[in-house]
Amino acid sequence: MKSIELFAGAGGLALGGAIAGLEHTVVLEWDSHSCKALRHNINRDNWSFDRWNILEGDIKHFNFSSHKGKVDVVSGGPPCQPFSIGGKHKGFNDKRDMFPQAARVVAEVAPKAFIFENVRGLARVSFKNYFQYITLRLSFPEEIIGPKEAWTEHLSRLEKLYIGGNYSGLSYRVLSQVLNAANFGIPQQRHRVFIVGFRSDINHEWSFPTETHSEDSLIVSKWIDKIYWDEHKVARKDRPEISDHEERRLGQMLIPIRARWNTVRDAIGDLPDPRLKKATRISGHKFQPGARPYKGHTGSLLDMPSKALKAGDHGVPGGENMLALPSGEYRYFTIRESARIQTFPDSYEFPSSWTESMRQIGNAVPVNLASIVAESVRRALLKSKETAS
């Protein structure tokens, strides 16, 4: 199933899509450091997919009309800074808002489906109208904004098309949902908006994937049957105290039926301490000094999913990319540990500096979550082919 990947970054969404069976005909990214990481990995001997055609440059300078009718899925993660809680919150006034360009590519390619991802800040009340505008612009991608038309005026015009119901041009049925990566087995509490659309002529039934993991199951595994500690061979004396939050949850919960959340320990527990010499033999597993907690940034607990890894405006924000050890010590996650938390395979390497690599990882979509969403879309499209035939 052919696809085009936009705003690829270091490749989290692209890799997840490839694992799900999408064949990327184009992978587009403007950042040279991210392109370096993409090229480094696809040219290695252990690369298990077809070599991606990586285009480096500003999306505004590329036209994809030649791909019309040849691509099943367009996917990508438009830059999140315009909507990020940690960013400047400029939204539609931010020049980095690339959703209009995403809609343009959809109009040029007319894929059967698209998958776009962004920070949950996009779904904040303050961006409610613009989020609706993004959704409707993707619903009617050929209805472009006029040269002197304000986005609010364009929104009003798109709303009339939506309500009218008799539009005959290219259109999509669009759904959006905030997904918590931890609820799908990723060892990280990372909330992201996914926007998925199917072309209106595609006969399909689709909904967002059902959550498979839960915090309650982790709490039971830690404090009722103690299986979690036994799995990791953690002696009773080395176990932390149950938190007030976990104790309250125990008093309120019903019997959980989902798998337990995966934790930082699940993700990195088999890696040696990066301060040991033997750790240097593992790609990207190098100790980075200088970690310290500060107000609002107290690191991630070893026996919970990590906090959302972030890229930051200037280098790495310590609290989000820091591990709070049971001993009371703090240290930064290594590149390899961060990549595992984002569910990149160990074979995937980040060839840039620690700061640059952590920026790329912090901006990425968790590979396994991307794969779960992409696989659900691919299955729906395959079923739609069977129905049409």
Side-chain angles (χ1 to χ4, degrees):
M1 194 167 285
K2 303 296 183 182
S3 65
I4 288 176
E5 178 73 19
L6 308 174
F7 321 107
L13 185 57
L15 185 57
I19 291 170
L22 300 183
E23 299 176 28
H24 302 312
T25 57
V26 170
V27 174
L28 175 65
E29 171 56 36
W30 74 272
D31 177 66
S32 61
H33 295 289
S34 297
C35 287
K36 177 182 176 181
L38 293 169
R39 294 190 183 105
H40 173 83
N41 285 284
I42 69 168
N43 290 318
R44 296 180 69 216
D45 291 339
N46 60 1
W47 184 251
S48 56
F49 307 102
D50 290 339
R51 296 286 190 267
W52 295 344
N53 175 27
I54 297 170
L55 299 182
E56 181 176 343
D58 190 331
I59 189 173
K60 296 174 184 176
H61 301 152
F62 292 89
N63 185 292
F64 291 90
S65 298
S66 62
H67 295 271
K68 192 166 188 176
K70 303 175 185 178
V71 170
D72 299 288
V73 178
V74 168
S75 59
C80 63
Q81 291 85 352
F83 312 102
S84 172
I85 293 173
K88 305 286 194 264
H89 312 169
K90 291 184 178 180
F92 52 85
N93 291 319
D94 196 313
K95 293 181 179 179
R96 295 169 296 181
D97 174 20
M98 290 290 112
F99 273 105
Q101 292 298 320
R104 174 182 66 83
V105 175
V106 170
E108 289 173 354
V109 176
K112 294 176 182 176
F114 59 74
I115 305 168
F116 293 116
E117 179 267 359
N118 213 276
V119 293
R120 66 171 168 178
L122 179 60
R124 293 207 306 272
V125 173
S126 56
F127 288 126
K128 179 181 177 181
N129 288 346
Y130 195 66
F131 189 25
Q132 183 181 3
Y133 175 55
I134 288 170
T135 301
L136 287 175
R137 190 159 185 175
L138 289 168
S139 300
F140 306 102
E142 292 180 329
E143 292 298 315
I144 62 174
I145 190 169
K148 295 184 179 181
E149 188 177 23
W151 75 266
T152 50
E153 296 171 331
H154 192 205
L155 169 61
S156 178
R157 184 156 57 86
L158 293 171
E159 286 173 335
K160 291 174 183 176
L161 286 178
Y162 179 78
I163 295 298
N166 57 356
Y167 183 74
S168 59
L170 177 66
S171 64
Y172 289 82
R173 293 188 290 268
V174 181
L175 289 175
S176 64
Q177 191 166 310
V178 177
L179 304 182
N180 179 4
N183 292 338
F184 295 88
I186 285 76
Q188 181 182 185
Q189 293 198 62
R190 191 177 187 89
H191 297 80
R192 289 296 186 271
V193 174
F194 279 81
I195 305 171
V196 176
F198 287 84
R199 207 171 61 205
S200 295
D201 63 319
I202 300 295
N203 185 9
H204 77 288
E205 290 184 0
W206 184 84
S207 62
F208 275 96
T210 302
E211 295 176 348
T212 53
H213 294 65
S214 76
E215 179 185 16
D216 284 355
S217 295
L218 174 61
I219 293 172
V220 168
S221 182
K222 286 161 69 174
W223 306 115
I224 301 297
D225 57 34
K226 315 293 177 68
I227 290 175
Y228 175 81
W229 307 115
D230 293 339
E231 285 179 358
H232 291 290
K233 298 180 173 58
V234 180
R236 186 179 297 275
K237 64 181 179 62
D238 297 323
R239 300 172 189 174
E241 295 291 327
I242 185 171
S243 69
D244 292 341
H245 167 74
E246 289 174 318
E247 202 154 28
R248 284 195 299 272
R249 292 296 304 161
L250 278 176
Q252 299 169 355
M253 72 173 63
L254 300 173
I255 298 174
I257 58 174
R258 296 174 185 161
R260 65 170 174 81
W261 271 359
N262 285 313
T263 68
V264 173
R265 193 191 294 269
D266 288 320
I268 70 172
D270 64 328
L271 292 172
D273 188 315
R275 291 167 287 193
L276 301 177
K277 282 187 177 181
K278 62 180 179 180
T280 60
R281 295 194 293 267
I282 300 172
S283 173
H285 195 47
K286 181 181 178 182
F287 176 68
Q288 183 73 22
R292 61 178 180 82
Y294 52 97
K295 187 176 180 180
H297 300 274
T298 55
S300 294
L301 299 176
L302 186 60
D303 296 304
M304 288 288 288
S306 80
K307 297 178 179 179
L309 300 184
K310 297 180 181 178
D313 282 337
H314 305 287
V316 176
E320 287 85 352
N321 292 11
M322 186 173 63
L323 175 62
L325 292 161
S327 63
E329 298 175 284
Y330 294 84
R331 67 167 177 81
Y332 286 121
F333 288 121
T334 66
I335 293 171
R336 180 49 50 204
E337 289 171 333
S338 299
R340 281 199 177 184
I341 288 169
Q342 286 280 54
T343 58
F344 282 92
D346 284 352
S347 60
Y348 204 87
E349 296 184 341
F350 295 86
S352 298
S353 67
W354 179 77
T355 300
E356 173 56 32
S357 296
M358 295 292 268
R359 182 191 69 81
Q360 293 173 19
I361 295 169
N363 277 331
V365 180
V367 174
N368 288 358
L369 181 59
S371 180
I372 289 167
V373 176
E375 172 62 18
S376 72
V377 170
R378 189 184 72 88
R379 285 199 308 266
L381 290 178
L382 289 173
K383 288 181 179 179
S384 73
K385 283 185 180 179
E386 293 169 3
T387 303
S389 60

